[in-house]
Amino acid sequence: MHLPSLVSVLRSRGTCLTAWIATPEPLLAENAARVGFDCVTLDMQHGLHDPVSIMRGIGAVALGGVPAIVRIPVGDFAMASRALDKGASAIIAPMINSAEDARAFAMATKYPPIGERSWGPVRAMQLAGAADGGAYLRSANAETLTFAMIETRAAVAALDEILAVPGIDAVFIGPSDLSIALSDGADVNPMRADNQAAAADILARARKAGKLAGIFAITGAQAKHYRALGYDFIALGTDGAYFRLGASTMLAEARAE
Ligand code: 3PY
Ligand code: MG
């Protein structure tokens, strides 16, 4: 079985809605893929995934026939490279606050001449159906995407320089952290007016630079709103929320008079 890349799914569908899986259990990732998400993200920053669960989770997502994406822990660019080797179709790097952060991220994830990703993509080649190393090498820089998370005041201030870094394909807005930053720690609310205005500005500047843009949505209604605004990549909820919402809806149905 060959896994479609996120690039190919974006090309055919326009917008990707990704599941967000924090629990390091491959069956959850596989179920998210089978339920109809366009792709599945495994979270190492706030989720409990580790290098082994990433390897297993990517295989499970492949069984569901959609691309897998990995959010790495803050600053762990070595892990970005390892996740790509294991077949991740894109990497989301949190807290990219400067062009220097963005360059370190691109160095680890892109082969020369853009970066200095080290060779070792055995599993990625199998999942991509690459005929040989040369075929993978020639397609990898374009087919594996880098999302720089913009979620602090420093990142917003440095956005144009971050967008100009070769090898940074996209931004991904972390609206909760951004709202904490913009309110100087007083609030965590992605839908604050100043936060939504900042997100709109980030989207516009990414577009102007010819880069993709993504954002995290806590609810389906928020995701719909972001679809209407034209984001390419929208994360919808988390595995914990899917479980709580599904279970509470079923319980309410069962107890209804
Ligand atoms: C944020 O909203 O800060 C995030 O990192 C979403 O994943
Ligand atoms: Mg965040």
Side-chain angles (χ1 to χ4, degrees):
M1 169 188 294
H2 298 155
L3 197 54
S5 68
L6 180 58
V7 170
S8 69
V9 175
L10 279 168
R11 210 177 287 131
S12 61
R13 300 206 185 160
T15 305
C16 271
L17 281 168
T18 184
W20 198 269
I21 306 295
T23 311
E25 167 49 59
L27 270 178
L28 285 182
E30 182 181 333
N31 270 295
R34 290 190 188 281
V35 101
F37 281 100
D38 301 312
C39 49
V40 176
T41 301
L42 309 174
D43 185 18
M44 300 185 83
Q45 185 196 11
H46 295 296
L48 295 172
H49 278 283
D50 60 28
V52 174
S53 70
I54 288 300
M55 180 267 293
R56 294 186 177 140
I58 291 172
V61 173
L63 285 177
V66 301
I69 293 135
V70 171
R71 178 164 76 168
I72 57 172
V74 175
D76 191 351
F77 302 124
M79 187 61 227
S81 183
R82 296 177 86 184
L84 290 177
D85 285 349
K86 294 292 163 270
S89 201
I91 304 292
I92 299 172
M95 296 281 171
I96 297 294
N97 293 332
S98 63
E100 194 185 351
D101 289 348
R103 274 193 290 274
F105 179 31
M107 279 295 128
T109 47
K110 301 291 182 181
Y111 291 115
I114 300 172
E116 50 190 29
R117 179 179 166 194
S118 174
W119 186 253
V122 177
R123 183 98 185 296
M125 284 174 57
Q126 290 170 337
L127 290 176
D132 54 34
Y136 181 81
L137 178 63
R138 282 188 294 279
S139 66
N141 281 355
E143 287 286 324
T144 53
L145 297 179
T146 51
F147 285 84
M149 283 197 75
I150 305 300
E151 48 185 349
T152 64
R153 284 179 186 267
V156 173
L159 180 61
D160 293 331
E161 293 105 87
I162 291 169
L163 285 164
V165 171
I168 298 299
D169 301 306
V171 291
F172 183 75
I173 300 168
S176 290
D177 274 315
L178 190 59
S179 70
I180 294 171
L182 295 184
S183 66
D184 291 323
D187 199 7
V188 52
N189 174 10
M191 303 317 279
R192 285 171 61 96
D194 58 351
N195 213 47
Q196 288 294 307
D201 180 50
I202 295 166
L203 173 63
R205 284 157 76 186
R207 285 275 172 276
K208 200 165 159 220
K211 307 266 164 128
L212 299 167
I215 192 163
F216 189 93
I218 294 170
T219 64
Q222 286 179 13
K224 188 173 174 190
H225 168 68
Y226 294 136
R227 273 183 54 225
L229 293 178
Y231 284 92
D232 306 287
F233 177 82
I234 302 161
L236 172 55
T238 61
D239 50 348
Y242 311 148
F243 180 84
R244 287 189 296 274
L245 187 59
S248 58
T249 304
M250 291 176 79
L251 265 177
E253 270 170 17
R255 287 182 174 147
E257 293 306 326

